[in-house]
Amino acid sequence: MLDLGELVLGHYHERKLSDPPAADTGVLVVGNKTDDAIRIVDLSTYAVEADVPLVDGDGLEVAGSMCNVIEGPGSTVYALFTATGVAGDDAGYAAQFDVATRQQVGGLVTFPRGTSQAGPCRAVWHEHDGEDYLFAVAADSTNDGNHRGFWYANVSALSSGDLDATVMGLADDQLFDRPLMNVEAWQGEVFIGTTTDDLPECGGDTCLYI
């Protein structure tokens, strides 16, 4: 063993460790995909406060599989469902849930099936001129994008009952017959991301459409 002798510290810096952060007092809202329910987690204890199933206009649990939860107006969120693998003309659904009251708001938004089997698993809520809208692009139950499908719906009257979204396809624009990745909205404009580079407007590049 090598003996280094006496070591002298030329500089010593003392630093106080940070105080433990204050415990959270809010709740975490997540989608319980196993039970297709909204799960409320108390952040002060990390205990599950409740699992709230979502229903259609007839009081039946939503068919399909929950695939995403997005922010809505005020204290609400929208739970998105894909109907991939379920027979019928619907690609998926959206239900609004009020976290403050722990209750579903109104009925369902139904997204009709277009050329894609994927559901509306990527979406954004946007308010414009006093009206509430949902915009969605197709994604599968793992929330992977790169599918064909775009929908929009005015959801201002959702509290009064079920609503149907509008699906857009090739007849509306070549963009909607291409794989889409995501959607965002800002100040009355909708931004749609696509991985395709074969649209004339793109000039061989990948485009972000507004």
Side-chain angles (χ1 to χ4, degrees):
M1 182 176 63
L2 179 63
D3 184 1
L4 297 178
E6 183 178 354
L7 298 178
V8 178
L9 296 177
H11 176 74
Y12 177 71
H13 178 71
E14 182 179 3
R15 182 175 60 187
K16 180 181 178 181
L17 295 177
S18 300
D19 295 328
D24 288 314
T25 57
V27 296
L28 177 67
V29 181
V30 295
N32 178 356
K33 185 175 180 180
T34 301
D35 299 320
D36 289 331
I38 290 290
R39 172 163 288 186
I40 309 293
V41 180
D42 186 338
L43 291 179
S44 63
T45 62
Y46 299 109
V48 175
E49 176 187 313
D51 275 327
V52 184
L54 301 173
V55 298
D56 62 18
D58 296 322
L60 303 175
E61 291 190 17
V62 181
S65 176
M66 186 181 293
C67 55
N68 204 355
V69 177
I70 63 169
E71 184 179 1
S75 60
T76 69
V77 296
Y78 288 95
L80 305 172
F81 294 79
T82 176
T84 302
V86 178
D89 298 327
D90 302 335
Y93 311 93
Q96 189 177 15
F97 181 82
D98 192 324
V99 180
T101 64
R102 308 294 199 266
Q103 293 182 340
Q104 183 174 335
V105 180
L108 288 183
V109 182
T110 298
F111 295 82
R113 198 180 301 278
T115 57
S116 174
Q117 293 298 307
C121 292
R122 291 189 176 183
V124 61
W125 162 79
H126 185 60
E127 186 274 332
H128 182 62
D129 288 342
E131 300 287 315
D132 292 324
Y133 295 89
L134 281 182
F135 301 97
V137 295
D140 62 20
S141 59
T142 62
N143 203 15
D144 289 334
N146 210 31
H147 293 275
R148 289 170 172 80
F150 178 80
W151 299 267
Y152 71 90
N154 185 326
V155 293
S156 303
L158 184 59
S159 60
S160 299
D162 296 340
L163 298 172
D164 291 327
T166 298
V167 61
M168 302 188 75
L170 179 60
D172 300 289
D173 193 282
Q174 292 184 65
L175 169 66
F176 302 123
D177 192 45
R178 300 297 194 276
L180 305 178
M181 289 300 297
N182 220 330
V183 59
E184 286 292 344
W186 176 255
Q187 295 184 345
E189 294 185 327
V190 180
F191 301 80
I192 305 170
T194 175
T195 58
T196 188
D197 58 6
D198 62 349
L199 290 169
E201 302 94 324
C202 295
D205 297 322
T206 300
C207 289
L208 174 67
Y209 275 78
I210 305 174

